[in-house]
Amino acid sequence: MLTLRKDLEFENEYIIYLITKVVCPDSIPTYFTNIEIKEFNNLKFEVEKITYPIEFDALQVAPDQWISIINIKQLMLFRDAQLINYNENTQRTLKHMVNGQWEYWTIDLNKTQVRAIQKSMHDGQYISDTLTLNMPETTDFTYDEKRKKLIINELETFDILDGYHRYIAASNEFNMDNSFDYPMELRIVYFSENRAKNFIFQQDQKTKMSRRNSRTFDQGDSVNQVVNLIIQSCNEFPELHGVVTPTKGIIDK
């Protein structure tokens, strides 16, 4: 947070309180209520230690790539143990910010997208997607082909290569509700910095639909819900069949 690698908006309020208490204690009454101050002063910050080896049930795709699963609670254990790292050398370029006399670099985060993902997770509508974590070249690990286990004996940090917005959304939801959990696909790779950059470039080349067409697939959109009801009603009225369709209808979706 102090190096602006994390946006305070998406951090646990208790952690922000502790940092504020050390860095600028006189500001505590300005940003926290008396109830929060009393509650936070009675709490004790503890991080559950990660014990090695870390084992993942995983299928090997290539000599440097494995597919596994992870749940949000386990991911948050890694986060709190500071094992999840945003490596600016293999992620999106940091954004240059100027605020009065202050000049700094920060992670280019689309907050609107983060909030949308978080809401989808909160509502239970999010379809699990893939997070990609890279093991640095100093990592001590083995893969047990017989047991289909990726075994990490020693790790400095995971670099998150893909899925950073999903990670922040899940992290923010977990901060709001520590009982929150969700299954996620997990890709673990052992890439050099150059190969990691190629992977990021490849991910960015995905063919995207136009914004207009993309919106027609959003089943949470009230407009699409109305259109779907009209389409369903067409089944009861044969003369309306084919009037509203995604393409080639009298009225296209």
Side-chain angles (χ1 to χ4, degrees):
M1 285 183 283
L2 295 176
T3 59
L4 302 178
R5 287 176 151 200
K6 281 189 175 182
D7 194 314
L8 296 183
E9 180 181 348
F10 301 108
E11 189 49 82
N12 183 292
E13 289 187 356
Y14 176 53
I15 303 300
I16 295 176
Y17 174 80
L18 293 178
I19 292 178
T20 306
K21 190 174 181 180
V22 173
V23 176
C24 46
D26 293 340
S27 298
I28 290 287
T30 303
Y31 298 105
F32 299 92
T33 66
N34 290 332
I35 294 176
E36 288 175 327
I37 293 171
K38 183 178 180 180
E39 178 185 354
F40 290 155
N41 282 336
N42 290 327
L43 292 178
K44 184 177 180 181
F45 180 68
E46 292 183 354
V47 175
E48 186 173 342
K49 292 183 178 180
I50 300 294
T51 57
Y52 290 95
I54 303 171
E55 295 191 1
F56 293 96
D57 293 322
L59 295 177
Q60 188 167 36
V61 178
D64 57 359
Q65 187 174 340
W66 299 264
I67 294 295
S68 183
I69 57 173
I70 193 169
N71 58 43
I72 297 302
K73 286 189 174 181
Q74 184 180 9
L75 188 65
M76 294 302 104
L77 286 178
F78 292 158
R79 177 200 69 176
D80 293 342
Q82 300 184 37
L83 287 181
I84 306 291
N85 177 54
Y86 185 98
N87 185 342
E88 58 264 30
N89 292 327
T90 55
Q91 260 290 3
R92 290 180 174 86
T93 305
L94 297 181
K95 183 166 59 175
H96 184 211
M97 303 291 291
V98 177
N99 185 3
Q101 64 176 337
W102 297 101
E103 185 175 351
Y104 57 94
W105 296 84
T106 185
I107 294 172
D108 189 5
L109 190 68
N110 186 326
K111 296 181 181 179
T112 300
Q113 183 181 357
V114 169
R115 293 190 188 98
I117 297 172
Q118 182 185 347
K119 184 180 185 304
S120 179
M121 289 180 170
H122 178 82
D123 295 341
Q125 296 179 349
Y126 186 76
I127 299 174
S128 295
D129 205 349
T130 308
L131 295 171
T132 301
L133 301 179
N134 187 32
M135 298 182 293
E137 295 178 278
T138 56
T139 305
D140 177 10
F141 74 95
T142 58
Y143 180 66
D144 188 328
E145 176 65 38
K146 185 176 181 180
R147 297 169 56 217
K148 305 297 181 186
K149 293 274 190 181
L150 179 63
I151 304 166
I152 301 175
N153 300 308
E154 187 176 350
L155 172 78
E156 184 177 352
T157 60
F158 285 114
D159 289 342
I160 184 163
L161 293 187
D162 187 49
Y164 186 73
H165 283 74
R166 297 187 288 277
Y167 165 69
I168 293 297
S171 181
N172 195 34
E173 184 63 21
F174 185 82
N175 290 341
M176 301 288 290
D177 176 10
N178 289 154
S179 66
F180 171 74
D181 205 4
Y182 222 90
M184 296 290 287
E185 297 177 18
L186 178 64
R187 179 192 293 113
I188 302 176
V189 297
Y190 183 57
F191 289 168
S192 66
E193 186 172 301
N194 284 338
R195 185 162 169 78
K197 288 179 178 178
N198 283 335
F199 173 77
I200 296 298
F201 175 77
Q202 176 181 298
Q203 291 298 95
D204 197 47
Q205 303 311 301
K206 292 180 179 178
T207 303
K208 296 182 179 179
M209 292 184 287
S210 68
R211 184 179 180 87
R212 177 175 178 271
N213 287 338
S214 177
R215 286 188 62 190
T216 67
F217 286 87
D218 183 3
Q219 299 306 296
D221 190 312
S222 57
V223 173
N224 289 330
Q225 293 172 1
V226 171
V227 171
N228 288 336
L229 288 173
I230 293 174
I231 293 174
Q232 291 172 18
S233 68
C234 290
N235 295 329
E236 301 176 16
F237 302 96
E239 64 273 16
L240 296 179
H241 183 71
V243 171
V244 181
T245 63
T247 57
K248 299 181 180 179
I250 296 175
I251 303 174
D252 67 44
K253 196 174 175 185

